[in-house]
Amino acid sequence: MSRPPLPVAAPLAANDMAQRPSDSQWGDIVQQLGAEIAGPLSAALERIQTLISTGQIDRQGLRALRDSVAQAREAGMVSQQLARLASGRLRLSRERVHLTQVLRTVLTQRSRETQARGIQIRQLLQPIEVMTDASLLFSLLNAVMDWALLNTHSSLEMRLDLTPWPAKARLMCRFAHRSLDLGSAPSAAIHEPPESLNSLTWRLIEQTALTLGALPLREDEAGITMLTLEFPHVATDESSVPQSEPPPPRPDRPDRSGLPEPDDPLPSHNSKPLAGCHLLIVSPRRELRQEIQGAVRHMGLIIDAVASMDEAMHFCEEGLPHGIAFEQSLRDAGFDRLRADITGEVPNFSFIEVLDGDQQTQLSTATADHMARISRHNLQDALPSVLLFELSKAL
């Protein structure tokens, strides 16, 4: 069974977009979503049917089955983020953000993934601050990495500088979208960029950038792709929000002096500032893993779960999540090795310890070992707020 082709509708070329997509363009995105979910699931179903009929599956087939399911899940997670952008109910903050530091944080967070794939990243980054929404910026930079790592056949070049007057922050990501060894490839394949460049992740980059007020420009030529993101609001020493227009409230980010009030029972799209962030749950008890996952289901997180610290160590070898929630009983020598290994690369990495007994919820800023703690009884009410604080520390 072959993978259904992507829709033939013209992609939303960033260079041609000055306004938010029309209803018909969102319809194209929905159509593409269906194709990117149906394709991998069709391949997975075919392998499952073969397994049922033969009772056998080899290691290669099992890996392909896992990859197909992972692709479909990833498309679903991207669709959640697109739905949040399409809701029209986002209230963005405008705060001073060190763009260079946030980008370096993302690159550090993804370093294991790039090393596992043998991809080098060349960085030419000027120190630049911009006025923007920190959480959405973090999501945008991670989407750029997802898209570039999927499509590159070379190293990645990340450049950050300022344009001449009027000054704009300009982030450029450059890579080869086809192999330099063309061999006997037909000439059409040489000149036509691959369909994966116009994937849902690319749509997510476009819409996130436009929501932030940044202009996404993309050029595909001679096997090379160059993505440029222009941020018009560069922060200077004189930069400030006009006094006549006070900054909008930021209800989604907790007060640093303590825990915020619990979220509404039916969160809106605007309550997903961490959409796309990755949480790893570590617990040998299936019911606890389900409780943790259920408590944060509405937040749009990518969630994986393993049963032991050895499995967590193996999981993190291929790429780090943004945070780890783990059961108290697993805090042993294996956990100490995992934590030392991760914090050696990402000093502010978020660990959240889940305890069985009655325990006051504590943020990492209030504990001697800089780890957050939460009682299992308080997961439903307090875990979303704890995660919001802990995963936002790096922004």
Side-chain angles (χ1 to χ4, degrees):
M1 185 179 299
S2 61
R3 177 176 176 174
L6 292 176
V8 297
L12 300 179
N15 309 44
D16 299 331
M17 294 184 64
Q19 299 178 351
R20 297 182 62 84
S22 65
D23 291 342
S24 62
Q25 288 171 324
W26 277 118
D28 292 339
I29 292 177
V30 172
Q31 183 182 4
Q32 184 172 349
L33 167 63
E36 292 198 19
I37 290 181
L41 288 183
S42 296
L45 180 59
E46 182 179 6
R47 293 189 179 276
I48 291 173
Q49 290 173 338
T50 301
L51 174 60
I52 293 173
S53 61
T54 65
Q56 295 179 341
I57 186 170
D58 57 19
R59 186 180 298 273
Q60 182 178 2
L62 187 60
R63 185 182 302 111
L65 177 60
R66 184 191 65 180
D67 291 345
S68 294
V69 174
Q71 290 171 15
R73 186 186 74 157
E74 188 173 325
M77 298 303 300
V78 171
S79 72
Q80 288 186 349
Q81 297 177 69
L82 284 167
R84 178 178 174 238
L85 297 174
S87 69
R89 297 195 298 271
L90 283 179
R91 288 175 292 174
L92 304 182
S93 72
R94 188 178 177 188
E95 53 192 299
R96 190 173 185 136
V97 180
H98 203 299
L99 176 56
T100 314
Q101 290 181 358
V102 176
L103 177 57
R104 283 177 175 155
T105 296
V106 171
L107 294 177
T108 300
Q109 194 88 35
R110 307 295 291 266
S111 61
R112 292 194 179 196
E113 185 179 353
T114 56
Q115 291 170 9
R117 300 186 185 192
I119 299 173
Q120 294 183 340
I121 300 181
R122 298 197 298 269
Q123 305 178 38
L124 299 170
L125 310 179
Q126 294 183 15
I128 299 174
E129 293 182 307
V130 295
M131 303 297 295
T132 191
D133 183 281
S135 294
L136 204 56
L137 173 65
F138 186 74
S139 297
L140 172 61
L141 297 180
N142 269 293
V144 169
M145 287 298 295
D146 290 338
W147 176 73
L149 291 178
L150 175 65
N151 288 285
T152 184
H153 289 264
S154 65
S155 60
L156 297 181
E157 180 179 315
M158 306 294 290
R159 184 187 297 268
L160 183 60
D161 61 17
L162 289 173
T163 64
W165 188 92
K168 297 178 182 179
R170 183 173 56 184
L171 172 61
M172 290 163 284
C173 175
R174 184 177 184 272
F175 58 88
H177 62 245
R178 58 172 170 76
S179 175
L180 300 179
D181 182 15
L182 297 177
S184 59
S187 57
I190 296 176
H191 297 291
E192 285 294 326
E195 288 182 341
S196 58
L197 283 174
N198 294 317
S199 65
L200 278 176
T201 305
W202 167 246
R203 308 275 190 159
L204 178 62
I205 292 171
E206 283 186 316
Q207 303 315 316
T208 306
L210 293 171
T211 301
L212 282 174
L215 179 63
L217 304 170
R218 197 184 98 197
E219 299 177 8
D220 306 313
E221 187 175 355
I224 301 296
T225 290
M226 169 74 84
L227 168 64
T228 303
L229 297 172
E230 290 188 355
F231 299 85
H233 304 296
V234 177
T236 64
D237 292 339
E238 294 78 22
S239 294
S240 63
V241 179
Q243 296 299 318
S244 60
E245 184 181 345
R250 184 73 179 271
D252 297 329
R253 296 186 68 146
D255 185 350
R256 303 261 171 178
S257 62
L259 286 174
E261 294 299 320
D263 289 336
D264 293 335
L266 294 175
S268 68
H269 289 288
N270 196 48
S271 64
K272 296 184 181 181
L274 299 180
C277 285
H278 190 180
L279 176 69
L280 177 64
I281 301 171
V282 189
S283 171
R285 294 185 286 179
R286 181 181 180 184
E287 63 274 14
L288 180 55
R289 297 196 299 266
Q290 291 176 337
E291 287 180 28
I292 296 173
Q293 187 168 353
V296 299
R297 192 182 307 277
H298 66 277
M299 300 182 72
L301 295 165
I302 299 172
I303 299 176
D304 282 292
V306 295
S308 69
M309 284 299 164
D310 286 341
E311 292 182 23
M313 179 73 79
H314 179 71
F315 182 94
C316 293
E317 286 176 356
E318 297 183 358
L320 291 179
H322 296 105
I324 293 178
F326 68 98
E327 182 177 345
Q328 180 187 23
S329 64
L330 296 179
R331 188 166 181 178
D332 54 13
F335 169 75
D336 292 338
R337 288 193 299 271
L338 176 65
R339 189 184 184 201
D341 186 48
I342 293 177
T343 55
E345 296 181 21
V346 185
N348 292 326
F349 189 88
S350 299
F351 290 93
I352 301 170
E353 186 176 11
V354 181
L355 302 93
D356 274 328
D358 292 330
Q359 168 76 29
Q360 181 180 4
T361 300
Q362 293 179 297
L363 300 177
S364 59
T365 52
T367 60
D369 56 5
H370 306 294
M371 284 199 305
R373 289 184 176 82
I374 184 172
S375 169
R376 180 177 181 179
H377 304 300
N378 298 330
L379 287 174
Q380 195 67 37
D381 293 332
L383 184 57
S385 297
V386 171
L387 272 177
L388 191 55
F389 179 86
E390 297 299 327
L391 298 185
S392 298
K393 287 189 301 182
L395 303 183

